[in-house]
Amino acid sequence: MSTLRALRLRPLALLALMTLSLTACNDAAEQEEKAPPSQVRVETLAVQPLAISTELSGRILAPRTAEVRARVAGVVLKRVYREGSDVKQGDVLFLIDPAPFKADFDSARATLAKAEATLYQARLQEQRYRELVDDKAVSRQEYDNARAAFLQADAAVGEAKAALERARLNLGYATVTAPISGRIGRALVTEGALVGQGETTPLATIQQLNPIHADVTQSTRELNALRRSLRAGELQQVGRDQVKATLIQDDGSAYPLAGKLLFSDISVDPSTNQITLRSEFPNPDLDLLPGSYVRVRLDQAVQPQGISVPQRAILRDSAGVPKVLLVDQQDRISERQVTLGSAQGDRWIVSEGLAPGDRVVVEGLQHVKAGDQVQVDEQPSATAVAQHNGQ
């Protein structure tokens, strides 16, 4: 009898358990439905003039470089300058033994004196014969000989003067001076070295370092694309003197002193199909040294009606296609693919895909997906921030 009662109670127990389970599920569903929407921060886009910048690679170069060389043969007696110091044009750098050049100078001076004495004698004889030939006291042939001797003596004086000047120059070259002002490097010879024997021996190198040049290269494809955009009116030309140059250092930070574009080369390197652009930067503390690899950002044009978004707002799918999350008027999330231009600081310039007034999600992207209802926290637009900073 008890067994029969137990069999009758078992379906009732199962029904009760099912009822409790359904009730718990409904409560969980209601709690999930009542969960607040995710909060995101958006930026409302607006058009503004944007600088179209290009980041290029290159090397630091000294504007002027002079190799100090021995112009006469001799033995180095002394190095006068301090290695690694700043020198001015005309400063004495090396002293070469001047004794042989002093002897040559004295010999040339004596030769000049002898030639001048001969000229004096020839001049007097030519003057006397000129008076006598008119009185027919001497023949015309004798006067012509005296006149020729005078001209030869005059030429010998000119030759002796040139030899004396050459000897004076060689004596001066024994004192090696700086051809330009700048920073001088290590000495390439030491005292006692024989220099200039059969060739002009390099002694040291001087480089001007302030201001300093940065030569970068840009492909003709990029340059032609920029020119097409300028001709189509999509971009505005920036005057060459107004092109801003920013140097990016090894650690990724910007060099604190702004530079300017000097010129673009007129020929293309046939091996790389690239053109060289030279910019100039102040270098008062000599932080930039020749030969260093650098990157330079050039603002080559201006987009008068440009749109940009923060770099953190850009997502990429598995194929690497960039996209953004937008919030519509009903505060729901949607996705949109975009076409990116160049980077401007911490923002991307968007060439296609977005319009003024679009609300782009800039924070909270990882917590939402397309179709989600969200709670919006409005962030000031880039234009408003720029206007506020300019005040």
Side-chain angles (χ1 to χ4, degrees):
M1 188 71 177
S2 59
T3 303
L4 181 60
R5 183 177 297 177
L7 291 174
R8 290 177 178 176
L9 291 177
R10 183 175 297 176
L12 294 176
L14 291 174
L15 181 60
L17 290 174
M18 292 177 61
T19 302
L20 292 174
S21 177
L22 290 174
T23 302
C25 291
N26 291 335
D27 292 341
E30 290 177 0
Q31 291 178 359
E32 188 176 14
E33 290 178 358
K34 292 179 181 179
S38 299
Q39 185 174 8
V40 296
R41 174 167 288 188
V42 301
E43 179 181 317
T44 303
L45 302 182
V47 295
Q48 59 179 330
L50 297 176
I52 304 302
S53 59
T54 307
E55 195 167 297
L56 306 172
S57 303
R59 297 280 180 183
I60 294 292
L61 296 176
R64 298 177 67 189
T65 301
E67 287 189 346
V68 181
R69 291 178 177 267
R71 304 178 70 175
V72 291
V75 176
V76 176
L77 295 181
K78 185 179 181 181
R79 171 176 60 84
V80 180
Y81 77 95
R82 181 171 57 85
E83 294 176 308
S85 63
D86 291 324
V87 296
K88 294 182 179 180
Q89 184 176 3
D91 286 353
V92 177
L93 305 178
F94 294 90
L95 296 178
I96 298 175
D97 185 5
F101 309 112
K102 182 66 167 58
D104 291 342
F105 178 79
D106 293 340
S107 175
R109 185 165 54 184
T111 301
L112 175 60
K114 180 180 179 180
E116 287 176 340
T118 303
L119 175 63
Y120 175 74
Q121 181 183 16
R123 180 185 294 112
L124 292 178
Q125 186 173 6
E126 189 271 339
Q127 290 175 353
R128 283 193 296 267
Y129 275 34
R130 186 191 309 163
E131 296 172 356
L132 294 174
V133 75
D134 293 338
D135 297 337
K136 300 186 182 304
V138 297
S139 66
R140 187 73 185 180
Q141 181 63 47
E142 289 176 316
Y143 170 72
D144 291 342
N145 292 340
R147 176 67 179 172
F150 166 71
L151 295 177
Q152 288 177 355
D154 186 58
V157 169
E159 183 180 5
K161 286 182 178 179
L164 179 62
E165 179 63 17
R166 186 182 306 109
R168 186 187 67 80
L169 289 175
N170 289 337
L171 180 59
Y173 291 153
T175 302
V176 182
T177 59
I180 63 172
S181 300
R183 175 65 61 90
I184 190 169
R186 63 184 179 88
L188 303 179
V189 296
T190 60
E191 290 83 353
L194 177 62
V195 297
Q197 191 69 35
E199 62 179 4
T200 54
T201 308
L203 306 179
T205 301
I206 302 174
Q207 299 182 92
Q208 286 188 352
L209 302 178
N210 184 33
I212 203 163
H213 290 165
D215 281 7
V216 296
T217 55
Q218 185 175 24
S219 68
T220 54
R221 179 182 58 82
E222 294 178 354
L223 195 58
N224 290 333
L226 178 63
R227 289 172 177 170
R228 286 193 295 268
S229 299
L230 290 171
R231 294 190 185 103
E234 299 172 0
L235 304 176
Q236 293 180 354
Q237 179 71 51
V238 177
R240 189 185 69 183
D241 296 336
Q242 300 175 343
V243 174
K244 179 183 177 183
T246 303
L247 189 144
I248 310 301
Q249 301 180 107
D250 294 339
D251 59 358
S253 62
Y255 184 64
L257 301 177
K260 61 181 179 179
L261 179 67
L262 293 183
F263 67 87
S264 301
D265 206 348
I266 58 175
S267 60
V268 178
D269 187 341
S271 61
T272 62
N273 203 34
Q274 292 183 327
I275 191 169
T276 299
L277 296 89
R278 171 166 292 177
S279 52
E280 183 182 77
F281 293 89
N283 192 27
D285 299 327
L286 304 185
D287 294 330
L288 306 177
L289 298 178
S292 302
Y293 173 82
V294 293
R295 290 175 293 140
V296 176
R297 185 185 301 122
L298 296 174
D299 296 341
Q300 295 179 292
V302 174
Q303 188 173 358
Q305 299 291 323
I307 292 178
S308 66
V309 298
Q311 292 187 2
R312 65 180 185 276
I314 299 297
L315 301 174
R316 295 184 183 272
D317 58 19
S318 58
V321 177
K323 61 182 180 179
V324 296
L325 298 182
L326 300 177
V327 178
D328 59 18
Q329 297 300 321
Q330 288 74 39
D331 291 343
R332 287 192 177 276
I333 297 292
S334 62
E335 287 184 357
R336 187 180 299 174
Q337 291 185 359
V338 294
T339 302
L340 301 179
S342 61
Q344 185 186 43
D346 61 347
R347 302 179 69 86
W348 281 108
I349 296 177
V350 180
S351 55
E352 294 181 7
L354 295 177
D358 286 343
R359 296 194 297 172
V360 176
V361 178
V362 295
E363 292 183 12
L365 294 86
Q366 65 275 18
H367 303 303
V368 295
K369 61 182 183 300
D372 287 355
Q373 187 79 30
V374 294
Q375 183 178 351
V376 176
D377 179 13
E378 191 78 20
Q379 176 173 294
S381 65
T383 303
V385 171
Q387 293 175 350
H388 176 73
N389 293 335
Q391 291 177 353

